[in-house]
Amino acid sequence: DQQVKQNSPSLSVQEGRISILNCDYTNSMFDYFLWYKKYPAEGPTFLISISSIKDKNEDGRFTVFLNKSAKHLSLHIVPSQPGDSAVYFCAASGGGNEKLTFGTGTRLTIIP
Amino acid sequence: EAGVAQSPRYKIIEKRQSVAFWCNPISGHATLYWYQQILGQGPKLLIQFQNNGVVDDSQLPKDRFSAERLKGVDSTLKIQPAKLEDSAVYLCASSLDRLAGAWDTQYFGPGTRLTVL
C-alpha cells in the first residue's frame, strides 16, 4: 500500500522555465510534508517542508503548495537551473507516527 | 559541521553471507535512523533510535536484521544471513532531537550500496 505517490518518474524542463513536481498521498492522518533532493551517490538533502495548517511555503526559488482536500502537494522551482537536475522525493509524516513515508521519486532534468 | 558518515560505501557479498554497516551521526544529534532504499523506490525506515534506545523498529526484518547504537552515538546495522532481495542502498540519517515537540530535519549520509549475488 503506497501511501505517498509520485506518478511522474521523470521530468525535463528548459533552463529558466518553471519546474512543477507533483505528489499525492492517501493517508489523511499525514500532517507534515517534505521535499528532499538527491544527487547520484549522495544521500537525500532536505529542501523544503510544509505543515498541514498552511497551503503554501516559499523559500527562494522553491515553493511548495498543499491542497488538503485533494491530498495533493506540488513543488515549484522558478527559475529552473542546471544544478536543479536531481531526483526529488516527496515525504510525509503524521498521525502520531512520526516516521517519514517517502514517494518513489521524480528525476528532474534541466536542459540548458 | 561534519555530516553523517557511513562506511563502507559499497559492498558485494554472496547470499547467506553476513554484512555490517557503520554510521556516525552529526555530533549532538540524539536521533538516528536507518533506511533501506531499493532501486526505483523511496527510502523505507528500518529502525529509529533516540539516544541508545529503539523508538521504532516495526519494519525491521528481525529474523535477519539487527541494529545497535551503543553509547548513543555510532550505530551498526547487520544482516545475517543476506538474501538477494536485500540488495539496496542503506541510508543512515540523524536529527537533533525528534521527541522535542518540533519537527527536526533529518540529515542523511551518502549511503552504503549493497549487492547480494
Side-chain angles (χ1 to χ4, degrees):
Chain A
D1 175 28
Q2 197 170 348
Q3 300 184 66
V4 178
K5 301 176 184 178
Q6 295 177 256
N7 294 317
S8 298
S10 62
L11 176 68
S12 294
V13 174
Q14 289 281 346
E15 181 179 358
R17 304 294 291 269
I18 182 172
S19 295
I20 300 176
L21 293 89
N22 294 302
C23 177
D24 297 294
Y25 61 96
T26 58
N27 189 337
S28 58
M29 299 301 289
F30 287 146
D31 59 9
Y32 200 82
F33 305 89
L34 307 90
W35 285 93
Y36 276 82
K37 175 180 179 180
K38 186 181 183 305
Y39 292 118
E42 295 183 12
T45 302
F46 170 74
L47 191 57
I48 192 169
S49 63
I50 188 167
S51 165
S52 60
I53 63 173
K54 294 184 176 182
D55 54 18
K56 176 183 175 181
N57 188 28
E58 191 172 353
D59 184 2
R61 297 186 297 113
F62 303 92
T63 303
V64 56
F65 295 92
L66 176 62
N67 182 333
K68 290 186 290 293
S69 61
K71 294 189 175 66
H72 177 83
L73 64 156
S74 60
L75 173 68
H76 292 209
I77 306 174
V78 183
S80 299
Q81 299 175 354
D84 297 330
S85 294
V87 176
Y88 290 78
F89 289 99
C90 170
S93 176
N97 184 348
E98 302 306 326
K99 69 184 180 185
L100 288 177
T101 300
F102 282 84
T104 53
T106 296
R107 180 178 301 278
L108 175 65
T109 302
I110 305 303
I111 304 165
Chain B
E1 178 184 80
V4 176
Q6 290 188 246
S7 68
R9 293 296 309 276
Y10 305 91
K11 190 74 176 178
I12 300 174
I13 61 172
E14 295 189 349
K15 60 183 179 183
R16 291 188 289 272
Q17 286 187 321
S18 63
V19 64
F21 313 125
W22 173 83
C23 173
N24 181 239
I26 293 172
S27 178
H29 279 197
T31 307
L32 185 146
Y33 313 79
W34 282 102
Y35 288 85
Q36 179 192 58
Q37 185 180 7
I38 294 172
L39 187 64
Q41 300 181 19
K44 181 185 82 171
L45 180 69
L46 292 176
I47 189 168
Q48 176 184 342
F49 292 95
Q50 175 79 11
N51 295 310
N52 60 349
V54 175
V55 174
D56 184 345
D57 64 357
S58 58
Q59 297 192 93
L60 186 74
K62 298 180 186 64
D63 58 333
R64 297 183 301 106
F65 286 64
S66 64
E68 60 182 9
R69 191 184 183 197
L70 298 176
K71 301 180 182 178
V73 182
D74 293 8
S75 177
T76 56
L77 176 70
K78 297 179 182 178
I79 308 175
Q80 182 179 9
K83 292 186 176 182
L84 296 176
E85 59 261 35
D86 298 332
S87 294
V89 175
Y90 290 85
L91 295 161
C92 179
S94 69
S95 64
L96 195 56
D97 186 349
R98 188 60 191 91
L99 299 180
W103 181 268
D104 296 300
T105 300
Q106 294 185 27
Y107 296 88
F108 284 81
T112 297
R113 181 177 296 277
L114 174 67
T115 302
V116 182
L117 302 176

